[in-house]
């Protein structure tokens, strides 16, 4: 016979139709009610909403592991399994009633559909495909159908890398979930993880991470299919089959639709797809999911709930009772029944089953959920231990026994697998303390086990977050304006800090990462690069608008001969010199950086080249000056060689030319700044610090010497210095210096000393003196080397002083030998040549 169907309402429709919201509001239109949910998580979520709406004292929560029942409670939010059948209320609501067709839990939903009624109204919420069954059970039931607020559309197969933000990826085993989560962390910054095996507290925390947009992705099992209201735009299936506790099977279209329907909230459309490795969906199934048009449920599971505990046989007989209607499937081999059949064969247990009370006790023990999903002997051993402890201790669990079991779980160390196992185990004791009067101090154990579960859950949440979320990625999720990201801070020394953690330092137009920075995901690295690229683009713009005098060669005194010559903007390297077609025409090149676009690199190089050209033109004037056409060939040759050699050139090369050069040609050379010394042609302006250093850099860039030493240069304007570095004479000449035995001195000061020596020589041989050494800053031995370089000879006299002179004998002898005369040389007067009165020997005679 069909059951009474007065005041029955079914609100049916796909996901995102507002069914739960409507029922929630209807519940409070009555003075009392019970709302049954398929998940503890949903019961808790709606309980919290109700508390905010009508106050803590008016609302109760009843689940397998949690009971909050105020004395004045009028509204009860429960899991379907925990819905009380001994309370009279005005309205009863049961959610997701299509689960009556579920193999594992279907018979429980069917029992609630058949046996729980509100005084004034009973409301069933579920999918459209349960309609026929409801009408068979209750022909006069009112069916209210709801349409989905948004559309659900199929997209082609997608790889994880193509998934857009606010996507959920579905997998059906824990290893696959973790594998996908790690992939998403690497490439997308991180993901929340939702598993059916997680405690509700952990699942809530993970959902909150997603909802707060700390991550843009969610990896989940089909646990999200049951009423988790998340802001998901897209659902992607990594598999189209699952293990249901018995075997692997393909998901039915309505199951796929239930999960895919989580995409799109309220009036925002959603999409679904599956990955390439998942297989294929036929077009008909895709159409069914898009239109929410699934095959009707023809039968639901049923089991007799009026059990007889007079004896074991009576109990099994009542469990074997078949339903009358053909739209019910007799539920066989439910987990509690399997547990019972196994345990009654145990000799220790069998001998205790002489009373109805003990049989009922064993049945209650067999209904303790297998939170670990062990499906093995360990689970049965646990049930046996609990039962025998109860029998042996007057139907109570000793405090010492449960304390030993619980205390070992009060340890929050270990990785994700260990924490998950501990949570499953503590849930067993939470369930026992909430559902049975087996404990003397039940309230204490409720609090204790709940506290341990909460702390384990928090630790598991932290572990999942650390493993599958790159912490720094949160600063980039939903933050498209990287320039305004306040969590990225640049300090005055160009150091970049991300959320107070040093990330690196911007040097020039590049980022140098901090060596101590922890390993981050590709997502975080990619987005940090976007932020840095924006910063550097702004810096490039500032550089291009900056004056040329902000560019320099840095600290030239620290420049090594073999190293590249860098160009600095302020104190940061931005470019370098490259060898050109001539000494005066090197090229500039912006330093390579992944943060520079090709266009910006060219613009930087162009500005550096402009600066360098101006440096050469202004600092090394007149080396770049074109020679006048009206110059004589002799003056032109001298000027050309001088200008091509950094303004310095040995006189010896043009010794004969200079004897006959005209005054006009000398004037032309003077206008070019060229001075004619005794030994060198030189340009005094190029002997100053800045031109000298630029000449050294140009020489180094062009000739590319591989010496691993600092570039030898005078310091503090010194006109001479000591250097042990072996360099070609052309280098010393290029900077306007002469090297004699590692004593380096400037050409113009050398010319001055040479001039003084010639003036002294007019009076005859001369002694070394301070007026010769002081201008060049040399000692006696160094002056000796310079004098010898100038062609002078010397002898050492008293006090180790040196007397300098020119030896004219060679010249006189040469003249005699080369004299074109047939006259015989006069060998009278002992064949001696008349002694030069200025010779050192004549001077010595006078001194003696």
């Amino acid at each position: 016979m069909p059951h009474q169907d007065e005041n029955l309402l079914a609100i049916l429709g796909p996901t995102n139709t507002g069914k739960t919201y409507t029922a929630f509001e209807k519940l409070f239109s009555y003075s009392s009610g019970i709302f049954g949910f398929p998940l503890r998580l949903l019961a808790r979520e709606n309980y919290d909403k109700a508390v905010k709406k009508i106050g803590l004292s008016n609302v109760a929560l009843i689940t397998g592991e949690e009971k909050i029942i105020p004395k004045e409670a009028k509204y009860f939010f429960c899991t379907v399994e925990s819905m009380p059948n001994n309370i009279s209320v005005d309205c009863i609501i049961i959610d997701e009633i299509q689960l009556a067709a579920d193999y594992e839990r279907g018979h429980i939903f069917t029992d609630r559909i058949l046996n729980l009624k509100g005084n004034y109204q009973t409301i069933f919420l579920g999918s459209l495909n349960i309609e026929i069954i409801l009408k068979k059970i209750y022909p006069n039931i009112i069916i209210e159908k709801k349409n989905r607020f948004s559309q659900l559309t199929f997209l082609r197969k997608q790889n994880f890398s193509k998934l857009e933000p606010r996507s959920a990826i579905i997998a059906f085993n824990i290893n696959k979930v973790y594998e996908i989560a790690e992939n998403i962390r690497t490439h997308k910054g991180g993901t929340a993880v939702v598993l059916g095996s997680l405690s509700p507290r952990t699942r809530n925390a993970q959902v909150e991470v997603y909802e707060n947009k700390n991550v843009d992705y969610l990896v989940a099992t089909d646990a999200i299919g049951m009423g988790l209201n998340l802001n998901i735009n897209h659902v992607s299936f990594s598999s189209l089959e699952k293990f249901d506790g018995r075997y692997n099977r393909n998901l039915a279209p309505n199951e796929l639709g239930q999960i895919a329907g989580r995409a799109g909230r309220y009036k925002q459309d959603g999409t679904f797809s599956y990955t390439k490795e998942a297989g294929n969906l036929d077009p008909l199934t895709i159409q069914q999911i898009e239109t929410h048009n699934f095959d009707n449920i023809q039968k639901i599971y049923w089991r007799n709930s009026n059990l007889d505990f007079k004896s074991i046989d009576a109990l099994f007989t009542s469990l074997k009772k078949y339903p009358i209607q053909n739209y019910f499937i007799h539920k066989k081999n439910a987990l509690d029944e399997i547990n019972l059949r196994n345990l009654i064969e145990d000799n220790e247990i069998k001998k205790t089953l002489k009373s109805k009370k003990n049989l009922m006790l064993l049945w209650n023990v067999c209904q303790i959920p297998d939170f670990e999903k062990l499906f093995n002997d360990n689970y049965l051993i646990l049930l046996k231990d609990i039962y025998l402890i109860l029998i042996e201790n007057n139907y109570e669990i000793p405090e010492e026994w449960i304390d030993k079991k619980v205390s070992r779980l009060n340890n929050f160390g270990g990785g994700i697998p260990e924490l998950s196992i501990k949570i499953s185990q503590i849930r067993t004791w939470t369930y026992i303390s909430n559902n049975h009067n087996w404990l003397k101090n039940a309230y204490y154990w409720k609090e204790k086990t709940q506290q341990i579960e909460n702390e384990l859950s928090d630790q598991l949440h932290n572990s999942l977050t650390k493993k599958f979320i790159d912490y720094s990625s949160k600063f980039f999720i939903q933050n498209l304006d990287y320039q305004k990201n306040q969590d990225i801070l640049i300090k005055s020394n160009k150091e970049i800090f991300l959320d107070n953690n040093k990330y690196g330092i911007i040097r020039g137009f590049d980022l140098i990462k901090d060596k101590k920075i922890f390993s981050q995901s590709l997502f975080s690295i990619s987005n940090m690069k976007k932020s840095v690229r924006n910063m550097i683009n702004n810096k490039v713009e500032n550089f291009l608008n900056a004056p040329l005098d902000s560019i320099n060669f840095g600290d030239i005194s620290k420049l090594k001969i073999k190293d590249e010559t860098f160009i600095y903007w302020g104190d940061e390297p931005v470019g370098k010199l490259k060898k050109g077609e001539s000494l005066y025409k090197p090229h500039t090149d912006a330093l390579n950086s992944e943060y520079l676009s090709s266009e910006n690199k060219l613009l930087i190089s162009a500005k550096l080249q402009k600066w360098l050209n101006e440096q050469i033109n202004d600092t090394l004037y007149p080396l770049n000056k074109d020679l006048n056409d009206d110059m004589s060939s002799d003056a032109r040759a001298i000027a050309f060689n001088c200008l091509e050699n950094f303004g310095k050139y040995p006189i010896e090369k043009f010794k004969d030319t200079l004897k006959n050069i005209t005054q006009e040609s000398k004037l032309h050379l003077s206008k070019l700044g060229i001075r004619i010394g005794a030994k060198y042609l030189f340009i005094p302006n190029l002997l100053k610090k800045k031109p000298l250093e630029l000449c050294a850099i140009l020489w180094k860039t062009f000739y590319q010497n591989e010496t691993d030493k600092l570039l030898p240069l005078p310091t503090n304007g010194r006109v001479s210095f000591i250097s042990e570095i072996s360099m070609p004479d052309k280098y010393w000449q290029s900077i306007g210096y002469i090297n004699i035995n590692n004593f380096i001195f400037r050409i113009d000061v050398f010319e001055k000393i040479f001039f003084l020596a010639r003036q002294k020589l007019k009076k005859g041989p001369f002694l070394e003196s301070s007026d010769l050494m002081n201008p060049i800053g040399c000692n006696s031995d160094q002056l000796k080397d310079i004098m010898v370089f100038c062609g002078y000879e010397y002898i050492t006299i008293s006090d180790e002083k040196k007397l300098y002179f020119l030896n004219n004998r060679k010249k006189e002898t040469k003249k005699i030998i080369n004299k074109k005369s047939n006259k015989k040389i006069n060998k009278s007067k002992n064949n001696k040549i008349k002694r030069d009165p200025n010779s050192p020997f004549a001077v010595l005679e006078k001194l003696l």
Side-chain angles (χ1 to χ4, degrees), residues 703-825:
Y703 289 106
Q704 299 182 341
N705 191 295
E706 291 300 313
T707 303
D708 188 20
K709 299 286 185 181
L710 291 176
L711 190 64
L713 290 168
T715 57
N716 303 322
R718 297 187 64 179
V719 298
S720 66
F721 61 98
I722 301 292
S723 175
E724 300 294 335
I725 300 172
S726 176
M727 295 292 286
D729 287 340
K730 280 194 173 183
Y731 167 75
W732 301 116
Q733 181 181 306
S734 72
I735 65 172
Y737 279 69
I738 301 167
N739 179 8
I740 300 179
N741 294 332
N742 297 332
F743 180 62
I744 321 297
F745 47 90
R746 208 168 69 192
I747 285 176
D748 60 334
V749 182
F750 162 76
E751 290 287 352
K752 180 179 180 180
I753 300 303
F754 197 9
F755 173 78
L756 289 174
R758 293 200 309 274
Q759 295 301 312
K760 286 177 177 290
L761 189 64
K762 288 179 181 179
K763 298 178 182 181
F766 56 92
L767 290 170
E768 62 183 36
S769 58
S770 59
D771 61 336
L772 290 173
M773 290 186 279
N774 288 345
I776 205 166
C778 66
N779 58 32
S780 176
D781 288 336
Q782 290 166 343
L783 180 64
K784 176 251 305 181
D785 291 336
I786 294 171
M787 290 294 100
V788 171
F789 176 72
C790 293
Y792 289 89
E793 294 184 15
Y794 70 94
I795 59 173
T796 303
I797 58 176
S798 60
D799 296 331
E800 297 299 318
K801 285 187 174 288
K802 298 177 179 64
L803 182 70
Y804 294 99
F805 60 92
L806 279 177
N807 188 352
N808 293 324
R809 286 183 179 183
K810 292 180 180 179
K811 293 182 179 180
E812 291 170 1
T813 302
K814 187 176 180 182
K815 287 179 181 179
I816 294 171
I817 294 172
N818 291 334
K819 191 174 183 180
K820 296 179 180 180
S821 173
N822 294 325
K823 293 182 180 180
K824 191 175 181 179
I825 297 175

Side-chain angles (χ1 to χ4, degrees), residues 303 307 315-321 330 337 340 363:
R303 186 175 76 176
L307 301 180
L315 177 57
F316 280 125
T317 299
S318 59
L319 285 170
K320 288 179 181 178
K321 185 178 179 180
H330 179 233
E337 187 177 343
L340 179 67
W363 177 248

